[in-house]
Amino acid sequence: MKYLNAPWRKKYHESKQTSCPFCNENDLLVKEGSFSKIILNKYPYSPAHFLIIPKEHKKFLNELSKECLIEMWEFTALCEDFLLNIIKAQGVNVGINLGAAAGAGIQEHLHIHALARWHRDTNFITTIAKTRVLSDDSGDILQKAREYLCKK
Ligand SMILES: [Zn+2]
């Protein structure tokens, strides 16, 4: 095996990584830990939709450290607490889509979804117009989430 030293390619690989929206998202940051962070989803399914994201650009759970996995589940539990007790959601969806076949929109950087649900919160507009109706202001939720979750 021969090797060609090509340090100019480093810039290319770095640019590919920095094009990841999760690696660059700061405007919607709610809470940052040692290994992961919570952001508000830019394209929410419901008015309060969080994403729990490892700081490392990784695709699968088995690539993450034990410490990161623990922190991400602790952050998911914090989001659950906020959604149930502050937003007064009647239920919470928590899920992970690993790979495009599983429905991942951004498959190269794994993320846990945690979102508020209410009885009958979907309606005909979602079905006929592929449009979701959001009944709350995401800026207001972002502020409330930052205040509440950063105390925890
Ligand atoms: Zn990334």
Side-chain angles (χ1 to χ4, degrees):
M1 171 78 65
K2 292 181 180 177
Y3 292 95
L4 173 64
N5 195 9
W8 60 89
R9 301 243 337 130
K10 186 177 178 187
K11 234 179 197 173
Y12 167 73
H13 292 295
E14 285 172 352
S15 75
K16 279 192 81 150
Q17 262 205 346
T18 55
S19 67
C20 171
F22 293 154
C23 286
N24 296 314
E25 182 54 67
N26 291 316
D27 294 342
L28 298 172
L29 180 68
V30 174
K31 184 179 178 79
E32 189 166 8
S34 302
F35 308 97
S36 62
K37 59 188 177 181
I38 303 170
I39 66 169
L40 209 57
N41 191 349
K42 195 177 271 186
Y43 307 102
Y45 301 155
S46 86
H49 183 165
F50 295 107
L51 299 175
I52 299 90
I53 301 169
K55 286 185 176 178
E56 282 190 286
H57 183 88
K58 299 291 184 187
K59 192 173 182 177
F60 294 106
L61 291 166
N62 64 22
E63 297 175 287
L64 300 173
S65 69
K66 187 176 180 180
E67 293 82 8
C68 182
L69 290 168
I70 290 169
E71 186 180 80
M72 287 179 71
W73 283 111
E74 287 173 348
F75 279 1
T76 304
L78 286 178
C79 290
E80 173 199 67
D81 176 36
F82 176 79
L83 294 170
L84 293 173
N85 297 308
I86 303 301
I87 300 294
K88 306 293 184 197
Q90 294 173 319
V92 176
N93 282 134
V94 171
I96 310 173
N97 302 322
L98 296 172
I106 297 171
Q107 60 177 317
E108 57 280 346
H109 195 148
L110 82 87
H111 46 285
I112 301 172
H113 295 262
L115 56 131
R117 296 301 306 270
W118 289 267
H119 291 291
R120 294 182 290 280
D121 61 4
T122 57
N123 62 29
F124 70 96
I125 294 175
T126 305
T127 307
I128 65 167
K130 295 186 177 175
T131 301
R132 293 186 199 280
V133 178
L134 300 176
S135 57
D136 210 336
D137 178 20
S138 63
D140 185 40
I141 289 171
L142 182 62
Q143 188 181 343
K144 279 182 193 166
R146 281 177 174 157
E147 287 169 11
Y148 187 77
L149 295 176
C150 286
K151 288 183 213 160
K152 302 276 175 169

